[in-house]
Amino acid sequence: MSDAKVIQCPCGYTLYGAGDTEVVRAAQEHARTIHDQELSSEQALSMARPA
Ligand SMILES: [Zn+2]
C-alpha cells in the first residue's frame, strides 16, 4: 500500500513525495526556490494527486 503523491507544477516540473506531508514540503520548497513564491499547505494539497 502506497500513499505516494505527485504535484504537477504549472511550470511543468513534477514533485514527488512518499505522502501528503512530503509532497507538500517538496512543492513548497520548489515554489520558494524556483518561483520565489510562498505556497500554502492547502494550496499544495489541493494540487496533490495519487502517484
Ligand atoms: Zn514550478
Side-chain angles (χ1 to χ4, degrees), residues 6-16 26-27 29-31 33-35 47:
V6 296
I7 290 177
Q8 181 78 57
C9 183
C11 76
Y13 202 86
T14 304
L15 293 316
Y16 298 92
E29 186 172 324
H30 172 82
T33 57
I34 305 299
H35 303 293
M47 296 162 72

Side-chain angles (χ1 to χ4, degrees), residues 14-34:
T14 304
L15 293 316
Y16 298 92
D20 286 345
T21 307
E22 281 194 20
V23 80
V24 164
R25 189 175 300 143
Q28 287 175 325
E29 186 172 324
H30 172 82
R32 188 179 307 123
T33 57
I34 305 299

Side-chain angles (χ1 to χ4, degrees), residues 34-51:
I34 305 299
H35 303 293
D36 198 25
Q37 289 177 351
E38 288 297 326
L39 190 67
S40 74
S41 307
E42 289 75 17
Q43 284 175 306
L45 261 185
S46 74
M47 296 162 72
R49 301 286 179 266

